[in-house]
Amino acid sequence: MKLHHTAAAMIFFIPLLFSCNKVDDFPGEDISGKSPILVSADHVSPFTRAYVPDGMYDNFKVYAASEKGGNRTEVMNGYEVKFVSDDWTYVNDSQPLMYWSNDADRYLFTAGAPISAVTAISGNSMTLHLENNTTESAMAAEPLKIENSSDDYGKTVNLRFGYAHCRVCVAFVRNDTKDIAVTDIKLTPNAAITSKADLVYSYDWSTTPATSTTKVTSKEKNIASFTFADVAIPSNSEKAVVSGTRYYCVPDASNTKDWTVSLKCNGEEKTGTFENSYTWKSGKNYIYVFALTEMGLKLIKVITQDMFFDCNDIESGGKFSNDDMTE
């Protein structure tokens, strides 16, 4: 896979571009006057079709169906889409190139990424398997309904993807006359929390636009600590410094409120307890900001953001001083 998170985008888009210089006959159907179903998307920054854009997996799974007079017909029943050479493709021996029907009332589309995370997909729901990890989040496409009367009917389909996990980060602040080395950083729940789960998206196609609801089913729980990379706080700094480690976590994960934070500050062990009053939600970034004191540690702020991003400071382009923090 190819995955990179940027500060520019809250929601990520996946282009699905099909090589169709040669259009093969579709078995059993007259395709005269019909167009191949092409799926693509705009991106927040310019890109060409010759590479996988930043933030994108190089594989995902798509479901599509047409509706006519209340009857639904599957068009792509969980097609696997992969980036091959320099283009996206789903066409193979078992996945023929599909075409728009001229007389369908509408088409329905959804998708999940990567393929390995999608354990079930249909017109009614999609299931993603999630695990707490430090490298990546699964993604889910917003359900897309295209009416026959729409200007988009028969044209390239845009799928819009968002994160399925939430992300948990830690940051530390201490204004001192000497450099501070923060090491052995751990957050530990006081009881087992969900570490593996199924996240089910249920679709309502009667709304405009189509909508989805989610439900998490826990598959495994544990009390393992979240371990974060070391942090270096420069002398006389008022900025909170973020650890380079980010945890992608199961959202709404039956999370305990009581946690312990432990670390070493220039080799001196420090511990503290804090109450996690936040219910983790998909696509949210949570930054837990701790103050280092002579006595120990104190949670002074939790910053929530509607996107994942990498940054040097707690707020891109701005300071995060003691004056900004609330007790």
Side-chain angles (χ1 to χ4, degrees):
M1 61 155 290
K2 301 179 181 180
L3 184 60
H4 176 69
H5 305 297
T6 71
M10 175 179 70
I11 298 294
F12 290 103
F13 302 89
I14 297 248
L16 170 54
L17 308 170
F18 306 114
S19 298
C20 52
N21 295 327
K22 177 181 182 298
V23 178
D24 297 328
D25 290 341
F26 183 56
E29 183 175 346
D30 179 8
I31 64 170
S32 59
K34 296 184 181 180
S35 301
I37 296 178
L38 307 179
V39 187
S40 185
D42 296 327
H43 192 253
V44 295
S45 59
F47 69 95
T48 69
R49 297 183 180 186
Y51 75 100
V52 183
D54 287 348
M56 307 303 161
Y57 284 96
D58 61 6
N59 66 94
F60 54 97
K61 187 171 285 191
V62 174
Y63 178 89
S66 64
E67 288 188 341
K68 174 68 174 178
N71 296 317
R72 185 178 298 176
T73 302
E74 285 187 342
V75 177
M76 299 178 183
N77 57 346
Y79 272 26
E80 294 187 355
V81 184
K82 299 179 180 179
F83 193 84
V84 179
S85 297
D86 61 353
D87 208 353
W88 293 95
T89 182
Y90 64 72
V91 178
N92 58 41
D93 290 343
S94 60
Q95 297 181 168
L97 185 64
M98 304 305 294
Y99 296 84
W100 292 90
S101 173
N102 294 330
D103 61 354
D105 295 331
R106 65 191 59 84
Y107 273 78
L108 317 175
F109 296 89
T110 193
I115 291 170
S116 59
V118 184
T119 59
I121 189 169
S122 71
N124 299 319
S125 65
M126 179 177 67
T127 302
L128 296 180
H129 178 70
L130 305 185
E131 297 185 15
N132 294 346
N133 70 90
T134 58
T135 58
E136 62 200 23
S137 171
M139 294 183 177
E142 296 178 359
L144 179 62
K145 178 173 60 174
I146 302 178
E147 300 286 351
N148 189 295
S149 58
S150 169
D151 291 339
D152 295 328
Y153 195 88
K155 297 181 181 179
T156 300
V157 178
N158 294 314
L159 289 176
R160 182 173 178 171
F161 282 74
Y163 288 110
H165 287 76
C166 70
R167 194 167 77 170
V168 175
C169 310
V170 294
F172 301 90
V173 63
R174 179 171 177 174
N175 192 345
D176 203 294
T177 56
K178 58 184 179 180
D179 294 346
I180 302 294
V182 185
T183 61
D184 301 309
I185 304 165
K186 293 181 181 179
L187 296 186
T188 307
N190 74 334
I193 66 169
T194 298
S195 56
K196 297 181 181 181
D198 284 341
L199 178 58
V200 178
Y201 294 79
S202 299
Y203 303 121
D204 184 353
W205 299 104
S206 66
T207 62
T208 302
T211 54
S212 65
T213 56
T214 59
K215 180 181 180 181
V216 175
T217 301
S218 178
K219 295 296 183 181
E220 184 176 304
K221 292 185 177 184
N222 62 49
I223 200 172
S225 299
F226 293 177
T227 303
F228 295 85
D230 297 347
V231 168
I233 304 176
S235 60
N236 301 311
S237 175
E238 294 183 339
K239 293 182 178 180
V241 182
V242 185
S243 170
T245 301
R246 289 87 161 90
Y247 270 89
Y248 299 90
C249 296
V250 176
D252 193 20
S254 302
N255 198 353
T256 178
K257 286 188 175 182
D258 297 318
W259 288 65
T260 298
V261 53
S262 62
L263 51 79
K264 291 181 180 178
C265 182
N266 283 350
E268 179 185 353
E269 293 186 358
K270 291 182 180 292
T271 62
T273 58
F274 67 96
E275 181 177 297
N276 180 30
S277 59
Y278 288 81
T279 300
W280 292 342
K281 297 180 180 179
S282 292
K284 292 279 190 177
N285 188 51
Y286 300 91
I287 305 174
Y288 291 79
V289 185
F290 295 92
L292 302 171
T293 69
E294 294 297 331
M295 300 299 295
L297 291 161
K298 184 177 182 180
L299 177 68
I300 54 176
K301 194 175 185 71
V302 179
I303 299 174
T304 62
Q305 297 161 323
D306 290 321
M307 62 182 178
F308 300 157
F309 70 102
D310 292 330
C311 61
N312 295 320
D313 300 325
I314 205 74
E315 293 180 346
S316 181
K319 290 185 177 180
F320 198 77
S321 67
N322 290 319
D323 294 336
D324 298 324
M325 297 180 179
T326 57
E327 296 295 329

